[in-house]
Amino acid sequence: MTEGKSIINANLTPLPDKVGVDGLEDKWRAVWDEDGTYKFRNTRDRKAVYSIDTPPPTVSGSLHVGHVFSYTHTDVIARYKRMRGYDVFYPMGWDDNGLPTERRVQNYYGVRVDVSLPYDPDFKPPFEGTDGKKIDAKDQVPISRKNFIELCERLTAQDEKLFEALWRKLGLSIDWSQTYHTIGQHPQRVAQKAFLRNLARGEAYQQDAPGLWDVTFQTAVAQAELESREYPGFYHKVAFRFEDGTPIYIETTRPELLAACTSLIANPNDERYKQYFGQYVYSPLFKVKVPILAHPAAEMDKGAGIAMCCTFGDVTDVEWWRDLKLPTRPIIQRNGRIVMDTPDWIEDPAGREVFAETAGKTTFSARKIIVDKLRESGDLDGEPTPTKRMTNFYEKGDKPLEIVTSRQWYLKNGGTDEKLNAELIERGKELNFHPDFMRVRYENWVHGLNGDWLISRQRFFGVPFPLWYPVNASGEPDYDHPITPSEDRLPIDPTIDVPEGYDESQRDVPGGFTAEKDIMDTWATSSVTPQIVTHWAEPDEASKALFASTFPMDLRPQGQDIIRTWLFSTVDRAHLENKCLPWAHATLSGWILDPDHKKMSKSKGNVVVPNEPIEKFGADAVRYWAAAARLGLDATYDIGQMKIGRRLAIKLLNATKFALAIGREDENHHVGAAAETSWNPADVTEPLDRAAMAKLALVVRQATEALESYEHSKALEVIESYFWQFCDDYIELVKNRAYGTPDEHGNVPSEKAVKSARTALGLGLDAFARLLAPYLPYATEEVWSWMHAGSGSVHRAAWPVVDPYVEAATGASPELLTWAGKAVEQLRKIKSEAKVSMKTPILSVALSAASEGVDAIRAALGDIAQAGRVVGKFDLVAKHAEESAAEDAPETEVAVEASELGEPPVKKPKH
């Protein structure tokens, strides 16, 4: 297609006898792949590039329709920006590493890691898929870490093929040559390089500190991964005693932690306990002397209003321990069991005996022992009372988290640094959130941080920390002086690679070195996806050019539920490393709800496999359903919406075929020859045609403004609404004139009037193909190929601009088309109420409308009469404003005053 001075030249192909949406996905996907339709052109000018930080989906299992939801939203924007002339950088990543992948591999193959085992190059897993059934740990075959990682890589490669097939079928305009993996060599190099620079600047540090620990997965958990859930328990009213034996009662749900008690805490304003601050009491059973202290975080209306602080029962204990500089008395191990050795701070012989009975027990078993002992000692007042408490869980875990003291790596995120916190709040204000109300979620999260980001994990499949530690003469690692590699050696695995100046024989021996065995949290890699995809800090010239033309990126699309993790952590990393935002815009999608308006999730068993609706209704229909939902709002899985989308795609095919066939059909209504034509806005001369173009100019303007504001659903609503009006009203009104058919009185429309109609139809359907292209990529590509053979894809065509339609309208009002449509509606209503064929002639009719409506209807009277088969007198009556108001009728209402029908057409017998 060429477009000069608003003239559109069209190369028309022969047309199919029947049209439909089935088969379009396979047809056009192959063409797009062959032609490189969506390939990034590698434009060097940053202003000419639109770059998208596409979410890398977690490749760890089955898909559901939630996966197609936000990705469709992103694709609409990508396609729109491409049509606006941008070179769109739209890569896809696979988030391979992390706990979800490990869990899937354990269940799929029936294995677990034992780091003491050697690598077996001939290992074959006991299972190859277990139909989603969870295999108990005792039944999982232990294998080496290297064998386990190989299985992770094998299974993720299989899962990625399924994801890619889905994305391709859905019609995502991804540049598949830009695909990356979060566990690949390049992403590992980027993640390790960024960490080493954080370490050099003092932004990354290690510390022995209390942290949240999942006893099932045996790993530390970050604040952003917490999920608060209701958990059943019991309140136990327990007596601590002063020197003279006088009791003071606390209420606790965790009596098994009595041995870890450091103090009793009450609110400084609590009149019940003010007299006791600074005094000491003894813990029951263990007779450990502990102070009574004040802290404003103590809740006066919770339990007895005074609580024991144990190191550590929950995050409040950590806050009290830190603020009041309390001693550390941990008794919970990483495996969730009580420590084996009786702690030194328990000096009472009877207390040491009690502790010995709980040593090595689970917290559940230890609790039962302690409660029984409290009954015997008389320190339990009454029986435990049931309660439900909100307890922290790892978002993927099944058991409450414990707080365990261990050495971990942290990255500064404003949780302990007021200046950095303020800077990150400001970054949030710079970022364009769509919808804007999501900004407050970001700000609330940053304001509420109470510690830095814990980025180390005690797992296996992930990016290793690129560190070793010297081993002193006693065989102990010197964690205060980590050994780092030079950046040109990255990526490295410290459990395999050796630091400069050492050899393998010095591994894990006195005077040698030892590897850091922890891996980075998966978010620590995902948080640098902008740096990964833009080839940040890579030395080759091509990477430097790519980075310069794509970073900072333009768009981060994602789910609302990971603002606190992915969005915030990415902002943090870019702020620390690049001193800027990673992108200018963030679009946040809502959740998918099932028909009962419950959030879809695999755990609830209410998910829908996305291939099912795509196979049944077509990709365009599923995209329509997704794109009809506004950003930030939840959407119901709605088959009805998909049916509407399918009908819209089919209507586009039929309407375009109808318009392009005019003047080209043979006696069998077949169009077998190609043709060339031009649609010149100057040839639009009839009032009705000009009104249709005026409305089209308005729609183009409104849709463009909406998409520029990332309101894809609003743009779709505007486009779709006018498309149906164009088909149902305009095409019906002008089809006789477009064909050049004589009217009921034998009058043949002039060549000028015929050309006006055909030009308006061509301009209109050419525009609709482009306007709907971001939403219905397959149907629009099909109709575009009929109109513009040899000119390339509609998805590389220019987005419509208002100029040619304004030129064609020459000042006409779009309301003329509305009035004409209302008039035809009333003419059809006459026949419908009389229960006769729509081909029945109307011998005479009088319609009433507001005065401006009468003028509009009169301007299009010939087309209206033809569409309604009015063969005789056609009167128009102006209704006064007060008359309309009295009848409470809409301003555009048209009413029938009188009518007379002729004889219905005689049905021809079927032969």
Side-chain angles (χ1 to χ4, degrees):
M1 182 193 74
T2 60
E3 199 167 343
K5 295 183 180 179
S6 298
I7 298 174
I8 295 178
N9 297 317
N11 295 316
L12 308 181
T13 66
L15 295 173
D17 291 330
K18 290 184 178 180
V19 298
V21 296
D22 296 331
L24 293 184
E25 287 102 334
D26 292 338
K27 173 183 177 180
W28 288 112
R29 191 164 59 246
V31 173
W32 295 335
D33 287 345
E34 184 179 342
D35 294 348
T37 302
Y38 306 123
K39 194 170 180 60
F40 178 57
R41 307 301 201 231
N42 208 6
T43 304
R44 299 301 175 95
D45 180 4
R46 179 67 190 91
K47 292 180 180 177
V49 172
Y50 187 86
S51 55
I52 302 172
D53 184 19
T54 316
T58 301
V59 185
S60 58
S62 59
L63 305 166
H64 66 78
V65 290
H67 287 96
V68 312
F69 191 57
S70 62
Y71 285 87
T72 298
H73 297 171
T74 307
D75 192 59
V76 169
I77 296 299
R79 289 179 177 280
Y80 166 72
K81 292 294 183 180
R82 198 177 285 113
M83 295 177 75
R84 291 286 282 177
Y86 287 96
D87 188 6
V88 175
F89 182 63
Y90 188 17
M92 176 57 72
W94 306 119
D95 195 3
D96 317 84
N97 72 71
L99 185 57
T101 299
E102 290 190 21
R103 291 178 70 182
R104 175 157 159 74
V105 167
Q106 287 172 338
N107 284 325
Y108 191 86
Y109 293 115
V111 296
R112 61 180 171 83
V113 176
D114 183 340
V115 293
S116 67
L117 293 176
Y119 173 65
D120 178 1
D122 300 317
F123 175 76
K124 292 184 179 179
F127 295 100
E128 189 79 27
T130 56
D131 297 323
K133 296 176 182 176
K134 185 176 179 181
I135 298 178
D136 293 336
K138 61 181 174 58
D139 298 323
Q140 293 172 351
V141 175
I143 59 173
S144 73
R145 175 175 176 166
K146 186 176 180 182
N147 283 123
F148 185 76
I149 289 173
E150 286 181 353
L151 290 178
C152 290
E153 290 169 341
R154 185 202 300 183
L155 189 56
T156 54
Q158 293 176 27
D159 289 341
E160 284 159 13
K161 290 177 182 177
L162 296 176
F163 268 78
E164 182 174 336
L166 171 68
W167 291 155
R168 286 179 177 275
K169 195 168 185 66
L170 186 64
L172 297 190
S173 58
I174 297 287
D175 179 355
W176 292 102
S177 68
Q178 303 289 342
T179 302
Y180 69 94
H181 306 73
T182 56
I183 200 70
Q185 288 239 326
H186 173 239
Q188 286 196 49
R189 184 164 62 248
V190 171
Q192 291 182 339
K193 187 182 300 182
F195 169 78
L196 290 175
R197 294 189 182 189
N198 290 136
L199 181 63
R201 292 192 296 263
E203 296 154 358
Y205 62 92
Q206 59 180 328
Q207 180 179 321
D208 282 312
L212 294 157
W213 185 268
D214 189 287
V215 298
T216 303
F217 299 112
Q218 288 291 286
T219 186
V221 175
Q223 183 183 351
E225 297 168 307
L226 294 185
E227 190 174 282
S228 186
R229 302 179 200 160
E230 201 170 61
Y231 193 71
F234 289 86
Y235 264 126
H236 306 78
K237 190 173 182 181
V238 177
F240 282 66
R241 298 186 185 276
F242 290 93
E243 189 81 46
D244 63 1
T246 303
I248 184 170
Y249 290 97
I250 62 101
E251 291 185 25
T252 179
T253 58
R254 302 206 62 184
E256 73 275 14
L257 295 180
L258 271 170
C261 183
T262 64
S263 56
L264 299 188
I265 309 286
N267 192 287
N269 298 318
D270 197 326
E271 296 294 338
R272 294 171 294 178
Y273 301 111
K274 277 185 176 180
Q275 59 184 314
Y276 300 126
F277 294 143
Q279 296 186 37
Y280 288 81
V281 291
Y282 291 87
S283 61
L285 304 182
F286 303 105
K287 304 298 187 287
V288 177
K289 187 178 181 180
V290 297
I292 301 176
L293 303 173
H295 193 283
E299 299 177 70
M300 290 189 282
D301 58 350
K302 185 177 180 180
I306 188 167
M308 63 175 184
C309 175
C310 303
T311 51
F312 296 92
D314 57 23
V315 291
T316 305
D317 285 342
V318 177
E319 181 183 357
W320 289 341
W321 166 80
R322 186 182 292 121
D323 293 352
L324 300 173
K325 297 180 172 51
L326 299 171
T328 306
R329 294 173 178 168
I331 64 168
I332 303 290
Q333 303 177 81
R334 288 187 174 191
N335 61 6
R337 294 175 178 268
I338 306 298
V339 295
M340 296 299 298
D341 298 328
T342 302
D344 295 339
W345 61 84
I346 301 175
E347 298 176 351
D348 180 75
R352 294 180 69 84
E353 287 181 17
V354 171
F355 189 89
E357 289 188 44
T358 66
K361 296 284 195 299
T362 65
T363 54
F364 179 82
S365 298
R367 185 180 308 145
K368 187 176 186 307
I369 292 169
I370 294 297
V371 171
D372 287 343
K373 294 291 184 183
L374 288 170
R375 282 196 189 95
E376 292 173 17
S377 68
D379 292 319
L380 182 67
D381 186 341
E383 283 302 300
T385 56
T387 184
K388 287 189 176 180
R389 57 194 174 99
M390 297 308 293
T391 307
N392 285 323
F393 285 74
Y394 175 39
E395 59 189 1
K396 296 178 175 64
D398 302 318
K399 293 182 180 179
L401 294 171
E402 295 291 353
I403 295 180
V404 175
T405 300
S406 58
R407 180 185 64 84
Q408 301 289 346
W409 279 99
Y410 296 85
L411 183 67
K412 289 187 176 179
N413 68 352
T416 60
D417 183 332
E418 288 186 10
K419 180 175 179 293
L420 178 58
N421 189 283
E423 290 170 353
L424 291 170
I425 288 289
E426 287 304 310
R427 288 293 183 209
K429 291 178 180 176
E430 294 174 30
L431 181 61
N432 295 292
F433 283 84
H434 305 283
D436 188 69
F437 68 77
M438 289 290 178
R439 184 188 313 277
V440 71
R441 300 192 186 187
Y442 172 93
E443 292 178 351
N444 287 345
W445 174 253
V446 181
H447 281 308
L449 289 168
N450 55 28
D452 285 326
W453 178 13
L454 190 155
I455 60 170
S456 48
R457 293 292 181 272
Q458 292 65 51
R459 299 300 301 176
F460 314 106
F461 190 51
V463 177
F465 284 95
L467 301 170
W468 304 268
Y469 304 99
V471 177
N472 62 25
S474 303
E476 296 295 323
D478 179 5
Y479 293 119
D480 293 332
H481 299 91
I483 303 168
T484 58
S486 58
E487 287 188 359
D488 60 2
R489 286 192 64 196
L490 302 176
I492 65 147
D493 182 344
T495 64
I496 298 172
D497 299 312
V498 176
E500 288 92 336
Y502 294 84
D503 60 50
E504 184 60 34
S505 67
Q506 295 173 281
R507 187 183 294 274
D508 297 326
V509 299
F513 70 93
T514 189
E516 171 61 81
K517 295 180 176 61
D518 287 356
I519 62 170
M520 295 183 195
D521 169 25
T522 184
W523 292 112
T525 305
S526 298
S527 62
V528 288
T529 52
Q531 290 82 356
I532 290 170
V533 297
T534 62
H535 286 223
W536 162 76
E538 291 290 278
D540 61 288
E541 292 304 315
S543 292
K544 290 178 181 177
L546 178 66
F547 182 74
S549 66
T550 55
F551 189 92
M553 302 185 82
D554 292 284
L555 177 63
R556 154 63 70 80
Q558 65 165 70
Q560 59 180 320
D561 52 329
I562 50 174
I563 290 174
R564 70 187 193 281
T565 47
W566 196 33
L567 188 146
F568 169 67
S569 61
T570 311
V571 171
D572 183 36
R573 300 302 290 275
H575 177 75
L576 294 175
E577 185 59 50
N578 308 104
K579 312 304 178 193
C580 64
L581 279 173
W583 0 257
H585 299 270
T587 52
L588 291 309
S589 297
W591 285 316
I592 298 300
L593 309 178
D594 68 14
D596 294 326
H597 299 280
K598 295 176 182 176
K599 181 186 173 186
M600 275 195 184
S601 69
K602 284 184 278 187
S603 63
K604 293 179 181 176
N606 62 345
V607 300
V608 176
V609 178
N611 284 324
E612 292 176 8
I614 292 176
E615 291 292 339
K616 189 170 184 180
F617 304 110
D620 281 348
V622 176
R623 289 173 62 98
Y624 171 87
W625 157 73
R630 292 170 56 190
L631 285 172
L633 299 182
D634 299 341
T636 304
Y637 178 73
D638 189 346
I639 288 176
Q641 279 279 84
M642 295 178 195
K643 290 179 178 177
I644 293 171
R646 182 178 176 88
R647 196 164 78 242
L648 177 65
I650 292 171
K651 187 67 174 181
L652 178 66
L653 294 168
N654 283 322
T656 307
K657 181 194 171 188
F658 165 79
L660 297 183
I662 293 174
R664 300 171 60 207
E665 296 172 300
D666 60 22
E667 64 275 9
N668 297 315
H669 302 288
H670 177 69
V671 179
E676 293 183 1
T677 190
S678 293
W679 297 316
N680 185 346
D683 291 332
V684 179
T685 55
E686 298 299 301
L688 186 63
D689 305 333
R690 288 178 170 178
M693 294 297 97
K695 183 64 179 286
L696 185 56
L698 186 64
V699 166
V700 169
R701 181 178 290 111
Q702 290 174 339
T704 304
E705 289 173 354
L707 284 165
E708 286 295 319
S709 300
Y710 294 85
E711 294 182 279
H712 60 261
S713 60
K714 182 178 179 181
L716 175 59
E717 185 180 348
V718 167
I719 297 163
E720 182 191 6
S721 176
Y722 183 49
F723 174 75
W724 285 111
Q725 185 185 9
F726 190 86
C727 294
D728 294 344
D729 292 346
Y730 179 70
I731 290 179
E732 288 301 312
L733 280 160
V734 303
K735 65 181 179 182
N736 288 314
R737 175 158 53 89
Y739 273 116
T741 306
D743 65 17
E744 298 296 337
H745 304 289
N747 298 317
V748 178
S750 69
E751 287 186 18
K752 186 178 177 183
V754 170
K755 189 163 193 174
S756 177
R758 292 182 180 181
T759 301
L761 285 169
L763 290 172
L765 289 165
D766 170 277
F768 281 121
R770 289 182 284 161
L771 289 169
L772 288 168
Y775 303 95
L776 312 176
Y778 293 109
T780 53
E781 190 73 288
E782 178 75 3
V783 299
W784 189 258
S785 72
W786 303 342
M787 282 188 275
H788 299 293
S791 67
S793 171
V794 67
H795 305 298
R796 284 283 176 183
W799 180 256
V801 294
V802 299
D803 298 4
Y805 315 113
V806 170
E807 182 183 337
T810 57
S813 169
E815 289 303 313
L816 190 156
L817 176 59
T818 302
W819 284 109
K822 288 282 186 182
V824 172
E825 181 184 326
Q826 289 301 314
L827 297 178
R828 289 172 178 160
K829 185 179 178 183
I830 294 169
K831 300 174 188 180
S832 178
E833 290 178 347
K835 297 181 180 180
V836 297
S837 165
M838 288 296 146
K839 295 181 179 179
T840 301
I842 297 176
L843 302 181
S844 67
V845 66
L847 299 181
S848 64
S851 56
E852 61 270 24
V854 170
D855 293 339
I857 293 169
R858 185 170 286 117
L861 199 58
D863 290 326
I864 295 169
Q866 274 294 93
R869 291 208 67 194
V870 179
V871 299
K873 191 177 180 184
F874 197 152
D875 289 334
L876 298 175
V877 180
K879 187 181 289 188
H880 297 295
E882 58 270 17
E883 202 178 334
S884 296
E887 295 177 11
D888 199 25
E891 290 184 8
T892 55
E893 190 62 59
V894 177
V896 178
E897 296 291 313
S899 65
E900 182 184 358
L901 291 171
E903 289 297 320
V906 178
K907 289 186 179 180
K908 294 180 180 179
K910 292 182 180 179
H911 297 288

